[in-house]
Amino acid sequence: MPEDAARGFEPVRPVRLYERIVEQVEEAIASGDLRPGQRLPSERELVVQFGTSRATVREALRVLESNGVVRSRPGDPNGPEILPFTTGGLTKQLRRLARADGLALSQLLVSRMMLDSTANRLAAVLRTEEQLAEMDAAIEQMRTAVDGGYASFSEADFAFHEAIARASGNTLIQVCNGVVRDTVLSLISDKIAHARNSQALMKRSLGHHEQVLAAIRAGDGPEAGRASLHSLYDYYAGYVPKAERAALTALLDD
């Protein structure tokens, strides 16, 4: 018997009727046949159009609403409203993935180093004067927060990286970086806040951020990316087991 013929197949997963309805609505939005602000037909009309039960239509609408695709208002005689696209659903799914068991801190840090440095390189080329002013303001907040405690410093640090992510002009980088950053901090923020040298760590981090800002202001993408990599490594590597640090050091320039 030929080798290919001996290969087994996976059982076919049955598709529930409400999933077909969800697919059709999402495809209509993707193709532009349905646009934000428009309304779906009433529940009764949808039952007729899809040729299915009211319970199936209601389950499909529940899934669409849960995914942020439509919004239904109690007592509204009109059909559900198509909502504009937001990154909320994507953020939720990425956060679930990032928090999954077996995803080591070293893996999260490698992802953050890559995303952060890429955002910096793009921001150095694409940033506007208004966005540069936002970064300046965040750095000033960080300077003030060094003596105000880790919580204040972390808030200012977040504002700085958000400004850079927006300046990169890439929504996916902004969302992914935010999720990874939040997850990393959720794992080790308590250790940083109560470290004996927490103020020294904040001052060193501030110095690295000032280097990043100077490179972005000068339009030097490679230097902005390099400074980001070293900043993140210096700040977080101590929390990663030595046996796992090779992946982090592989991203650093010689």
Side-chain angles (χ1 to χ4, degrees):
M1 180 181 294
E3 183 178 346
D4 287 348
R7 183 187 304 137
F9 292 100
E10 296 282 333
V12 176
R13 183 180 69 88
V15 178
R16 298 174 182 175
L17 288 177
Y18 79 85
E19 292 177 333
R20 291 297 191 194
I21 297 175
V22 170
E23 288 174 2
Q24 286 195 48
V25 173
E26 290 180 337
E27 286 172 3
I29 294 171
S31 67
D33 292 336
L34 285 174
R35 299 183 181 279
Q38 289 184 316
R39 299 274 187 162
L40 290 176
S42 68
E43 186 179 289
R44 180 179 298 177
E45 292 176 39
L46 289 173
V47 168
V48 174
Q49 288 188 27
F50 287 116
T52 187
S53 69
R54 177 164 291 190
T56 299
V57 168
R58 286 179 176 174
E59 180 63 14
L61 293 177
R62 186 194 66 78
V63 171
L64 289 166
E65 189 157 19
S66 173
N67 292 341
V69 177
V70 303
R71 175 175 56 203
S72 298
R73 296 184 178 91
D76 189 343
N78 299 310
E81 179 186 1
I82 305 297
L83 295 175
F85 172 77
T86 67
T87 59
L90 177 59
T91 299
K92 184 187 298 184
Q93 293 300 320
L94 288 174
R95 185 167 282 119
R96 287 178 61 188
L97 173 63
R99 292 179 185 274
D101 291 340
L103 194 57
L105 177 60
S106 59
Q107 293 176 287
L108 289 167
L109 287 174
V110 165
S111 298
R112 183 174 176 194
M113 289 169 72
M114 295 175 67
L115 289 164
D116 212 65
S117 61
T118 300
N120 288 3
R121 292 174 71 101
L122 290 170
V125 178
L126 302 175
R127 55 85 179 167
T128 64
E129 289 301 317
E130 291 77 12
Q131 289 166 338
L132 193 60
E134 291 178 1
M135 298 174 212
D136 278 322
I139 285 288
E140 188 57 39
Q141 291 173 11
M142 291 176 72
R143 292 194 187 103
T144 303
V146 166
D147 297 321
Y150 173 73
S152 299
F153 185 86
S154 181
E155 183 178 337
D157 181 33
F158 176 84
F160 180 76
H161 289 287
E162 279 291 288
I164 290 177
R166 287 192 297 271
S168 77
N170 190 301
T171 302
L172 190 56
I173 287 179
Q174 185 177 346
V175 173
C176 293
N177 206 359
V179 172
V180 174
R181 180 175 60 241
D182 290 350
T183 307
V184 168
L185 290 176
S186 72
L187 294 175
I188 60 176
S189 60
D190 190 61
K191 294 180 181 179
I192 296 174
H194 294 92
R196 293 180 180 178
N197 62 337
S198 61
Q199 190 173 54
L201 285 172
M202 287 187 285
K203 288 181 178 179
R204 190 166 65 191
S205 177
L206 173 60
H208 281 301
H209 284 69
E210 289 172 337
Q211 292 175 8
V212 169
L213 179 58
I216 291 176
R217 192 189 307 279
D220 189 343
E223 174 58 22
R226 187 202 67 79
S228 173
L229 290 172
H230 284 271
S231 171
L232 291 169
Y233 181 87
D234 287 350
Y235 200 67
Y236 292 115
Y239 300 97
V240 176
K242 290 184 179 180
E244 298 177 14
R245 291 181 195 171
L248 278 67
T249 56
L251 297 177
L252 302 178
D253 296 332
D254 295 331

